[in-house]
Amino acid sequence: MSAAARFAPSSIDALLRDPSLASASAAHGATSVTACLRTAVDEARTAWRDGASSDDAVIVARTLRLLEERGALRARRVFNLTGTTLHTNLGRAPLSEPAIAAAVQAMRHPLALEYDLDGGTRGDRDDLIEHLICELTGAEAATVVNNNAAAVLLALDTLGGAGNAKKEVIVSRGELVEIGGSFRVPDIMRRAGCRLVEVGTTNRTHRSDYADAITPKTALLMKAHASNYRIEGFVSEVAEATIAEVGHAAGVPFMVDLGAGALIDLARHGLPHEPTVRETIEAGADVVTFSGDKLLGGPQSGIIAGKRALIARMKKNPLKRCLRCDKATLAALEATLMLYREPEHLVERLTTLRWLTRPRSRIVAVANAVQPAFAEKLASVASVTVEDCLSQIGSGAQPVDLLPSAALVIRPLRAKGGGGVLAAIDAAMRALPIPIVSRVSKGAMWLDLRTVEETEDLLRSWAGFVFPFPGEEVIR
Ligand SMILES: *Cc1c(COP(=O)(O)O)cnc(C)c1O
C-alpha cells in the first residue's frame, strides 16, 4: 500500500486558519465552514482507508466545493426545451412582467390584502380578484384557492360533503380521470365526503344516464374536462347545456371541473379551441373550477367561479381557510387577470400566450443563431441540425403535438454506443449553470426552442458545457 501510514490531517482549528478557509469564514461564517470542513475530513479518512494519501490541500479544496454546493439553491432556473410548453414538472406558466412586479411588491411591503381601504375595515382577500373573474367570465361570484385540485375539493366538500344531507355526486364513467400522479376524481370525491355515482360507460354517456341516476340524495352533477387524454371512435358525451338542464329540472346544481380553464377563445390566436370559462357558464354550469397556472398564464392557484349562493357557501367553509392563497399569489393573479381586460395587447404581454403563439419563423431564427455554438462543442461526438418539430401546449390542454416549432437535433455520429453518448450529453446539459432540460426521442436529442425568446442566457450557459469523454465522469 503506497498510502501514508497514518491518517494525520492538521487539526480543524489549524485547517480553519488556511487563508482560503479564513476568507470563506468571513463570507459565510465559521458555522457553515466548520460543518463542511468536518465532512471533508470524514471523506478524506474514508479515502485514506481505501488507500489514498491524506493531504490538507485536498481537504481544503473539498471544503470549498462543499460550501459552494451548500450555497446553491435547489429551486434552480432551467431551460425548458422539452417541447411541452407549460410543463408541470418545470413550474407550468411563466409569469408575465406585470404579475412578477405585483408579486415582488406584495412580498416586499405590507399589502392591503384583507383590508378595505375605503372603510378602513377588515376585508376579504377574494376581493382582490373576484370582480375581475366575474367581468372576464360572466360569473356572479368567485373565490380562489391554492390550486385547482383544492378548488375541486372545496367545491365538492361544500356542495356534497360533511354537513350535507345530500352526498351523491353523479359523474360519467368516461370522466373518472387521473391528472398527473395523485389527483384522481374518485379519490378527491371520497376525501370530500361525497358518494360517487358513476353513470354511462367509458366511451358513451347519454342524457338519460344522468336523469335516471338522480335521487333525493343527489347533491351535484359533475363533469370533468378530459384534460390529458382523449377517447376516440365510438364515443358520446353529453353537452354541458344538457346536463345543466337535467340538473336544474331536478333542482340539482351542475359543476364543471374545466382544468386548463381558458379565459379567451384560443382559436382566435390560431390555437386549438379549448372550452372557455364563459362558454361553460353560459351553457348553464353553476360552478366552474380551473387552474390559474395553466392556459390562464398566472401563478399556481385554483379559481372557482359560479352562482353567488354556492360560492358564498364555499367562502364560509372552514376548508377555505386551509386552502387559501398567499399574498404574492393573489397579487400576481390580479395583475395577470388585468391583462385580459386589454385583449388587444394580450399576446405581447401574457408570456404564456406569447410562447404558445410564437411564429415558427422566430423559433427557427433562434435555432439558427445558437446552432453553431452547439455544433462546435459536440463536433467530435454528434451532429447538430435545425429541424422542424411540434410542441405541445402541456398542462392539460389536449395532449397532442400541434404547435409548429423548431429544434436543435443532436444525433450521435456513430450508431454504436449512441445511446450512451446522448445520455452523457443529457447529463452534462443538466449540470450546466442554467440546466438544459430536453427530450430524447428516436435516437436523437431534441431541443425545442419555443420558450427561448433571446439567445444570450442560453449561449452563456452553454459556454460552460464540457463533454465528458468516454470513461470519464461528467465534469461538474
Ligand atoms: C390540471 C387539472 C386539475 C388539477 O389542477 P391543479 O391546478 O394542478 O391542482 C384538476 N382537474 C383537471 C380537469 C385538470 O386539468
Side-chain angles (χ1 to χ4, degrees):
M1 204 165 82
S2 65
R6 287 190 317 127
F7 179 67
S10 304
S11 69
I12 295 283
D13 282 344
L15 285 165
L16 281 171
R17 284 194 294 274
D18 174 280
S20 54
L21 291 193
S23 74
S25 287
H28 302 288
T31 311
S32 256
V33 176
T34 308
C36 291
L37 180 55
R38 288 191 196 284
T39 306
V41 170
D42 286 347
E43 285 179 7
R45 184 180 293 111
T46 307
W48 170 78
R49 286 199 190 107
D50 291 342
S53 55
S54 91
D55 177 344
D56 283 358
V58 170
I59 291 174
V60 168
R62 179 66 185 144
T63 304
L64 292 171
R65 182 90 201 102
L66 286 170
L67 263 174
E68 192 184 313
E69 281 175 19
R70 227 165 100 101
L73 288 175
R74 293 197 180 189
R76 302 262 298 276
R77 173 190 170 181
V78 299
F79 289 106
N80 170 15
L81 307 191
T82 60
T84 300
T85 316
L86 305 177
H87 197 303
T88 294
N89 303 138
L90 302 178
R92 286 194 187 156
L95 288 187
S96 55
E97 291 306 324
I100 294 164
V104 166
Q105 171 166 281
M107 289 188 283
R108 184 167 287 144
H109 303 289
L111 185 80
L113 178 63
E114 295 177 352
Y115 187 75
D116 177 1
L117 287 170
D118 290 334
T121 51
R122 196 197 149 104
D124 175 355
R125 61 177 72 196
D126 279 343
D127 292 348
L128 300 185
I129 50 90
E130 187 168 12
H131 64 292
L132 290 167
I133 306 273
C134 293
E135 179 184 317
L136 296 167
T137 67
E140 290 175 8
T143 185
V144 57
V145 287
N146 184 55
N147 53 27
N148 188 38
V152 174
L153 178 67
L154 177 61
L156 287 174
D157 183 86
T158 305
L159 302 176
N164 285 282
K166 301 174 179 179
K167 295 215 179 317
E168 291 179 2
V169 179
I170 299 175
V171 188
S172 161
R173 286 201 169 83
E175 296 164 8
L176 296 175
V177 298
E178 170 176 316
I179 293 133
S182 51
F183 180 89
R184 290 175 155 195
V185 169
D187 294 344
I188 298 282
M189 198 145 310
R190 198 174 315 114
R191 287 286 166 161
C194 299
R195 205 172 83 66
L196 171 63
V197 176
E198 302 173 28
V199 297
T201 59
T202 303
N203 57 331
R204 289 171 73 83
T205 301
H206 306 284
R207 176 195 175 106
S208 57
D209 292 323
Y210 289 96
D212 294 349
I214 293 181
T215 74
K217 293 207 177 108
T218 305
L220 186 69
L221 302 186
M222 178 179 170
K223 187 173 178 65
H225 183 55
S227 288
N228 49 2
Y229 69 103
R230 191 190 312 200
I231 305 178
E232 291 189 34
F234 187 54
V235 294
S236 164
E237 60 174 339
V238 185
E240 271 94 349
T242 308
I243 307 177
E245 203 180 280
V246 169
H248 295 162
V252 174
F254 172 43
M255 158 172 161
V256 179
D257 174 20
L258 210 44
L263 290 183
I264 52 161
D265 180 6
L266 294 178
R268 292 221 324 258
H269 296 278
L271 295 167
H273 177 79
E274 280 281 326
T276 67
V277 180
R278 184 181 287 277
E279 280 166 13
T280 310
I281 285 174
E282 281 172 359
D286 301 292
V287 173
V288 183
T289 58
F290 54 102
S291 294
D293 58 343
K294 293 183 177 173
L295 288 173
L296 197 150
Q300 180 191 299
S301 48
I303 297 160
I304 313 176
K307 291 273 155 60
R308 193 183 319 280
L310 301 180
I311 300 290
R313 283 170 59 195
M314 295 179 204
K315 288 179 189 244
K316 283 202 208 98
N317 186 329
L319 263 187
K320 168 70 204 295
R321 175 65 177 76
C322 309
L323 302 173
R324 72 183 189 183
C325 303
D326 95 307
K327 58 185 178 176
T329 299
L330 282 165
L333 184 59
E334 181 190 15
T336 305
L337 292 170
M338 300 264 276
L339 298 178
Y340 282 87
R341 281 178 150 175
E342 297 178 5
E344 294 83 357
H345 294 294
L346 195 61
V347 172
E348 92 217 36
R349 292 177 184 165
L350 188 72
T351 311
T352 303
L353 193 58
R354 198 171 67 236
W355 283 6
L356 291 175
T357 56
R358 240 179 128 203
R360 202 185 70 87
S361 58
R362 295 241 187 97
I363 307 174
V364 171
V366 167
N368 284 328
V370 299
Q371 186 271 345
F374 279 74
E376 190 201 316
K377 290 232 178 193
L378 293 171
S380 64
V381 288
S383 67
V384 181
T385 49
V386 174
E387 296 181 29
D388 289 351
C389 70
L390 293 166
S391 325
Q392 296 192 357
I393 294 177
S395 275
Q398 288 295 349
V400 281
D401 294 318
L402 20 76
L403 311 175
S405 187
L408 290 185
V409 184
I410 300 174
R411 289 198 174 78
L413 293 180
R414 283 184 307 181
K416 191 161 177 287
V421 167
L422 284 186
I425 296 173
D426 190 28
M429 282 191 183
R430 282 183 279 105
L432 287 172
I434 304 175
I436 295 174
V437 186
S438 67
R439 175 168 53 106
V440 174
S441 163
K442 295 185 204 134
M445 180 179 276
W446 294 74
L447 277 56
D448 185 331
L449 292 156
R450 170 171 300 279
T451 63
V452 178
E453 295 188 299
E454 49 90 26
T455 58
E456 196 185 322
D457 288 356
L458 180 60
L459 286 174
R460 195 179 318 120
S461 191
W462 177 251
F465 182 89
V466 182
F467 183 73
F469 289 97
E472 260 182 58
E473 280 204 301
V474 175
I475 297 159
R476 283 176 181 264

